[in-house]
Amino acid sequence: MTEITRVALQPIAKGSLGKLWIGIVLAVALGGAVAYESRQKGLEVDTVKAGAGAAPTASDYVLVNYVGHLANGKEFDRGEHVPIPVQGVIPGFSKALQQMQKGGKYHVFIPARLAYGAQEQRNQMTGEVSIPANSDLVFDIDLIDYKSAADVMRQRMMMQQLQQQMRGGAGAGAAAPGGDAAPAAH
């Protein structure tokens, strides 16, 4: 008959099992912290309702409804039918707008580094701090429409011309009703 060689198990050192569990708990906590931190680093644009067509470019102007909140839920700003140049806002908002489509509704998370960073923002009316330094921001945005910068400039020029005509300020040298040029004022 053959005999199986026996190997004696060494006893576990006192406290080793506790150290093993502490190591496991620390590894899980570290993994959770890394996952949380990586989520916080990037811009997030979640589509609530899909829009249609192409997205605005950095040189476009958008017409939006929006509500801005701090990460803790406190509202700091809101606007309806607000025309905004895509390049005229904080970097995270600009990047988010360039991922949207006309008619869409979006929920946007902007990390502090793509918002105002270490600069706190104050309410212009009250002087109170509305956005503390290093704040992550959350926006709900409806992209109503957008236009190119050239279209916006043409529209502004047309509006200015219309306002001048309404004021009767066609200016010196304008044609008189009889077809002759009006005399210049001296």
Side-chain angles (χ1 to χ4, degrees):
M1 214 187 243
T2 58
E3 190 172 315
I4 299 176
T5 307
R6 295 182 197 175
V7 177
L9 294 175
Q10 298 294 323
I12 298 175
K14 231 179 195 182
S16 294
L17 194 56
K19 290 177 185 176
L20 178 64
W21 279 110
I22 289 172
I24 290 170
V25 168
L26 286 175
V28 169
L30 181 62
V34 167
Y36 178 79
E37 186 64 27
S38 66
R39 178 193 182 282
Q40 297 302 316
K41 287 184 180 177
L43 173 70
E44 292 180 23
V45 180
D46 297 324
T47 302
V48 175
K49 176 187 164 206
T57 65
S59 62
D60 290 337
Y61 284 73
V62 296
L63 184 64
V64 295
N65 293 336
Y66 70 90
V67 179
H69 293 93
L70 299 175
N72 67 8
K74 180 181 177 191
E75 183 178 315
F76 63 84
D77 196 12
R78 89 172 27 238
E80 291 188 18
H81 289 84
V82 179
I84 300 173
V86 174
Q87 289 182 329
V89 292
I90 58 174
F93 202 94
S94 176
K95 289 178 182 183
L97 288 171
Q98 293 175 66
Q99 296 179 37
M100 299 178 183
Q101 295 173 303
K102 180 179 174 179
K105 295 178 183 274
Y106 303 89
H107 183 77
V108 179
F109 172 84
I110 302 174
R113 68 181 173 77
L114 294 175
Y116 296 102
Q119 289 184 317
E120 66 182 23
Q121 299 299 304
R122 295 187 171 272
N123 181 311
Q124 293 177 352
M125 304 285 279
T126 65
E128 294 177 8
V129 174
S130 57
I131 303 175
N134 299 310
S135 292
D136 297 332
L137 306 179
V138 178
F139 285 92
D140 292 307
I141 303 170
D142 300 344
L143 179 58
I144 300 166
D145 198 3
Y146 69 92
K147 295 182 186 258
S148 71
D151 287 344
V152 171
M153 294 307 282
R154 274 193 294 276
Q155 190 174 13
R156 283 183 182 169
M157 289 178 65
M158 288 173 42
M159 290 299 291
Q160 288 174 346
Q161 290 172 350
L162 183 61
Q163 287 174 347
Q164 286 176 348
Q165 289 174 357
M166 290 177 69
R167 282 188 236 138
D180 299 329
H186 293 280

